[in-house]
Structures are given as structure tokens and as C-alpha cells.
């Protein structure tokens, strides 16, 4: 049946040449699991496009409604949280996939003549993916989105001469606001997709013209002359299936919560970028003052240019990594620096003292019972009773506070602090809170 239908279609559409270009592409040295990452990246792009289209059905790109529309997707829309999860984790997976794809290409020296153009188009694709990530991050319009984008935009502002102008173009004005959001939205869903599709087509076109590079030794390349179909297609499909299962599980199991709605006046908020920008965030912490532009634009510019023109910088004709100590050394050094910065950054993030839930409950009780009517903490509250800013240092004994809260007059004769009706749990929580008020937490 299928073949009769195929013959019918073929006699009308002349499919044989199409089949030849799509499936009969010879792979020097035969199919391999190491070649799957390009297809995986392409699959993830398609998934991002589809989930993105569905998110766009409900998303409203204005400061008044963006946050609520995401909340609506998360809580009301059928499969809304799942689709948003796919889009969120899919973005991470895409960064990993494109990274592995570039690593494989680099290791195999597959960027060497005659494939320089394919490498350069690939680097552009990588940059487009990172721009997708950056513009997409702002869209939920929560605190993290707003302040992380602020950091990114300010970095562009440090570029001499044109920095200020570029910053205004990115924001659509003097401040990060409504115009910025619609601008980022348009770039994310209209401009970038057109750009990426164009460059993907170009990338695949070049691949079809020059063919895949295959193993790094000619002897092994000559060993088999297998075609793309069936074994490579099968390997690609298996890994794509596994990647999808992984992303879907993450979307299902790991909630990706929104922080509070963006508040442009709350400058105290410390944003954390996505993990794939973390290494860079860490680097920025170490450079200050006159050296700052070095990290905010000189270094990224230099790295991007080196990546882009790498096939012309590395003139060594050998493809075997053993015979390319300089290239391999540079690659390993680059990876080591990026991964150490990432590790350091994650370590620092986790080193931030976690809020003790008892302390948090105690703080709520402090507000609820109106303790601030008499007491002052860091300048806020009344002045008729002792300042409690550092009471954890001056009165460190738990027992004293427990007794005091039960009956202030029993330990402080003549005190006019009222006796509050506290349960045992509340007594403990309130004590945990006042003990946490220290000079060095
Ligand atoms: C009507 C005013 C008043 C209110 C309301 C009040 N306090 Fe007090 N508080 C005092 C006074 C006066 C003292 C000093 C005498 C004493 O130790 O009791 C004091 C002392 C303290 C101390 C000991 C401070 C020190 O340095 O010795 C702590 C801790 C404290 N209060 C916590 C609280 C908490 C928690 C609340 C709310 C549940 C609260 N207070 C509500 C008046 C008040």
C-alpha cells in the first residue's frame, strides 16, 4: 500500500532526487553516535518553535499583563505549565546540544578546509541561540527577568562611543520598560526565528555541498561508505527520543517558579541569570573599576571573533587531535576556565545562607503582633523600647527570651512590654527570630 502510494506520488512529484539529497548522503567512515548532536539541536529548535507558538497564544507583551499572562498559562491553561516547562528546559537543552555539537566539530577538526564556511555559519547560529536565550529571559516580566536584563543592557552600555546609543536602542528609550518588553518580544518571536531559519538552511546547504567530514584519518574514512539512511537516521532518532524524554520529565517534575512581578523601583533585588550565563556573571564579579570594560565587552568581543575566524587562525592541516597540541590546548584551557567559573558561581550561590523557616515564621509574628510599635530594627519602628537590631549579640541566651516572652515582668521587673498570648511553637519561632538579629548572621 505504502509503496503504491509512494509510486503514485513519485510519478507526480519526481521524489527520487529529493530522497537522494535527503537520505543517501554518504557518510565517510560510516554512521556514528558522535555525529548526533547537530540533529538533536535541530530537533530542539523545532520543539522551541512549536512550544513558543502555543505560548504566544496566551502571552501578552506589556508590563501590565505579561506577568499575569504567564501566571495564567501556569495555573489555568490546560497543559500550560507543561508547555512552558518544555520551552524553558528545551532552551537549556539546546544550549547543551549546540555546545556538544561545536565540541565534536572542534575535536574532529571538521572546521578545516573546505568546511570553514560551515563552521562560521555555525558560530552565527550559536550566537543567535544565545540571543534567543537573552531576549526570552525578559518576557515573564518577573523580578529576576527584569534585573538580569538590566545587567545585560548595562554591559552593552560600557562599549565606548556607541555603547550609549546601543543601550537606548535595546531599551527603546531611557529606561527598561514597556518599549523594551515589546522590542524583546518582537526580536524573540519574529526577527530571530527568521534569522535562525535562514542560517540553518545555509548550514545544511553547505553540508550537502561539501559533505560531512567523517573521521580524522583518511584510512578510516575510506573504510566504509555508508549513507545517512538508515543507520545514522536511526541513531539520531534514538538520541532525539531520549533527549525529549529528559526535557519532558524536567517540564513535568521540576516547577519553574516565577519570582515576584517586576518592580523597577526595587533596586535591592539581586538577579541570578540562567545557568549558561552564570560563568560570565561570576567573571564580572572579579573585575572592577578601570578594568571593567575588559570583561563587559573587550573579552567577549575577542572570544567571538576568535571563534568566528578560528578555521583561518588554526593553519595546522592535521585533523587528528594528537597532532594538534596548540588547538587542543587552547580548547581545553577555554573549557577549563568556563567550567571552573561555572562551578565557582554555583558554589557561591549555594553558600548564601538559607533562610531558616523558624526565623521566617518568627519574623511574620513580629510583624503580626505589632512589636515594631515599640521596638526598632535597622531604623524601622518605634523608639520607646530597646533597639533590637543586634539583640542576638547582646542577649544570646535562648532561655532568657523564652522566659521573657512568657512573662516580661518576670525577668525585667517593671517592664511595660505586654504579655502576648503565644503558643509554644510561636514562642520558639519568635525567639529564633530575635536570636537571628546579629551583626554577622
Ligand atoms: C508596648 C511596647 C512593647 C511592645 C509592643 C513590645 N515590647 Fe519588647 N520590650 C519593651 C520594653 C519596654 C522592653 C525593655 C524591658 C524588658 O526587657 O522587658 C522590651 C524588651 C524586649 C526584648 C529584650 C531586649 C533587650 O535588649 O533586652 C525583646 C527581645 C523584645 N522586647 C521583643 C519583643 C517582641 C518580639 C515583641 C512583639 C511580640 C515586643 N517586644 C513587643 C516594650 C515592648
Amino acid at each position: 500500500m505504502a509503496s503504491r502510494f509512494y509510486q503514485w506520488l513519485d510519478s507526480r512529484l519526481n521524489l527520487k532526487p529529493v530522497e537522494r539529497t535527503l537520505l543517501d548522503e554518504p557518510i565517510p567512515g560510516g554512521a556514528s553516535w558522535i555525529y548526533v548532536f547537530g540533529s538533536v539541536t535541530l530537533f530542539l529548535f523545532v520543539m522551541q518553535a512549536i512550544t513558543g507558538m502555543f505560548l504566544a497564544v496566551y502571552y501578552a507583551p506589556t508590563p501590565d499583563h505579561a506577568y499575569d499572562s504567564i501566571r495564567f498559562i501556569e495555573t489555568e491553561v490546560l497543559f500550560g505549565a507543561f508547555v512552558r516547562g518544555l520551552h524553558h528546559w528545551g532552551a537549556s537543552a539546546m544550549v547543551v546540544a549546540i555546545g556538544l555539537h561545536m565540541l565534536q566539530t572542534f575535536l574532529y577538526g571538521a572546521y578545516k578546509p573546505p568546511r570553514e564556511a560551515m563552521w562560521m555559519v555555525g558560530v552565527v547560529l550559536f550566537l543567535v541561540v544565545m540571543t534567543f536565550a537573552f531576549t526570552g529571559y525578559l518576557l515573564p516580566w518577573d523580578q529576576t527577568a527584569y534585573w538580569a536584563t538590566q545587567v545585560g543592557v548595562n554591559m552593552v552600555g560600557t562599549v565606548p562611543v556607541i555603547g550609549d546609543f546601543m543601550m537606548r536602542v535595546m531599551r527603546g528609550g531611557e529606561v527598561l520598560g514597556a518599549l523594551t518588553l515589546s522590542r524583546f518580544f518582537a526580536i524573540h518571536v519574529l526577527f530571530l526565528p527568521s534569522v535562525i531559519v535562514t542560517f540553518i538552511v545555509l548550514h545544511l546547504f553547505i553540508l550537502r555541498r561539501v559533505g560531512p567530514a567523517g573521521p580524522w584519518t583518511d584510512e578510516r574514512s575510506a573504510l566504509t561508505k555508508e549513507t545517512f539512511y538508515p543507520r545514522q537516521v536511526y541513531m539520531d532518532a534514538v538520541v532525539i527520543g531520549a533527549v525529549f524524554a529528559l526535557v519532558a520529565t524536567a517540564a513535568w517534575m521540576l516547577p519553574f517558579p516565577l519570582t515576584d512581578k517586576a518592580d523597577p523601583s526595587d533596586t535591592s533585588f539581586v538577579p541570578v541569570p540562567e545557568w549558561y550565563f552564570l560563568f560570565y556573571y561570576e567573571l564580572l564579579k572579579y573585575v572592577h573599576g578601570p578594568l571593567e570594560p575588559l570583561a563587559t565587552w573587550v573579552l567577549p568581543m575577542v572570544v567571538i571573533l576568535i571563534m568566528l575566524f578560528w578555521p583561518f587562525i588554526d593553519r595546522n592541516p592535521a585533523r587528528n587531535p594528537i597532532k594538534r597540541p596548540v588547538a587542543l590546548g587552547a580548547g581545553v584551557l577555554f573549557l577549563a576556565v568556563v567550567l571552573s567559573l561555572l562551578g565557582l558561581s554555583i558554589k557561591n550561590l549555594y553558600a548564601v545562607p538559607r533562610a531558616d523557616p523558624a526565623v521566617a515564621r518568627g519574623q511574620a509574628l513580629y510583624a503580626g503582633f505589632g512589636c515594631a510599635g515599640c521596638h526598632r530594627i535597622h531604623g524601622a519602628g518605634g523608639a520607646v523600647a530597646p533597639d533590637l537590631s543586634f539583640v542576638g549579640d547582646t542577649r544570646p541566651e535562648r532561655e532568657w527570651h523564652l522566659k521573657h516572652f512568657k512573662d516580661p515582668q518576670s525577668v525585667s521587673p517593671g517592664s511595660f512590654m505586654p504579655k502576648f498570648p503565644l503558643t509554644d511553637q510561636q514562642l520558639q519561632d519568635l525567639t529564633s527570630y530575635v536570636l537571628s538579629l546579629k551583626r554577622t548572621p
Side-chain angles (χ1 to χ4, degrees), residues 362 365-375 377 384-388 390-392 394-395 400-401 404-405 407-420 422 430-431 433-435 437:
L365 291 171
Y366 183 88
F369 282 113
C371 315
C374 294
H375 291 286
I377 295 179
V384 296
D387 187 313
L388 299 181
F390 304 112
V391 69
T394 50
R395 277 204 192 278
W400 188 89
H401 289 285
H404 181 248
F405 284 138
D407 182 7
Q409 286 73 29
S410 72
V411 283
S412 294
S415 169
F416 62 83
M417 173 156 154
K419 213 183 283 180
F420 291 94
L422 299 162
L430 207 52
T431 304
Y433 173 59
V434 293
L435 287 177
L437 298 170

Side-chain angles (χ1 to χ4, degrees), residues 127-279:
L127 296 174
V128 173
V129 167
M130 294 324 264
T131 315
F132 259 116
F134 179 65
T135 50
Y137 205 53
L138 179 66
L139 303 185
W141 202 250
D142 61 352
Q143 282 284 68
T144 313
Y146 187 88
W147 293 105
T149 305
Q150 190 79 270
V151 172
V153 171
N154 288 345
M155 269 167 54
V156 173
T158 60
V159 179
V161 189
I162 53 166
D164 226 47
F165 171 73
M166 290 202 309
M167 199 155 79
R168 255 180 293 134
V169 170
M170 280 172 85
R171 287 189 306 224
E174 294 305 321
V175 290
L176 213 163
L179 285 173
T180 323
L181 185 55
S182 51
R183 202 159 277 233
F184 272 47
F185 179 66
I187 290 172
H188 192 79
V189 307
L190 296 168
F191 288 71
L192 290 178
S194 330
V195 174
I196 203 170
V197 168
T198 309
F199 278 87
I200 287 174
V201 169
L202 200 57
H203 199 61
L204 294 178
F205 172 76
I206 301 173
L207 173 68
R208 287 313 182 218
R209 300 310 297 164
V210 297
W216 54 67
T217 56
D218 289 339
E219 302 86 70
R220 287 204 25 219
S221 299
L223 226 54
T224 32
K225 273 265 188 289
E226 182 174 10
T227 54
F228 182 61
Y229 183 81
R231 282 203 338 137
Q232 190 65 54
V233 171
Y234 159 76
M235 290 174 180
D236 287 3
V238 167
V239 179
I240 285 172
V243 168
F244 180 73
L246 210 70
V247 173
T249 310
W252 201 254
M253 313 285 288
L254 305 174
F256 169 54
L258 286 164
T259 46
D260 289 337
K261 184 172 170 170
D263 176 4
S265 65
D266 178 11
T267 49
S268 68
F269 191 84
V270 180
V272 177
E274 269 294 22
W275 65 265
Y276 37 80
F277 288 129
L278 268 183
F279 77 96

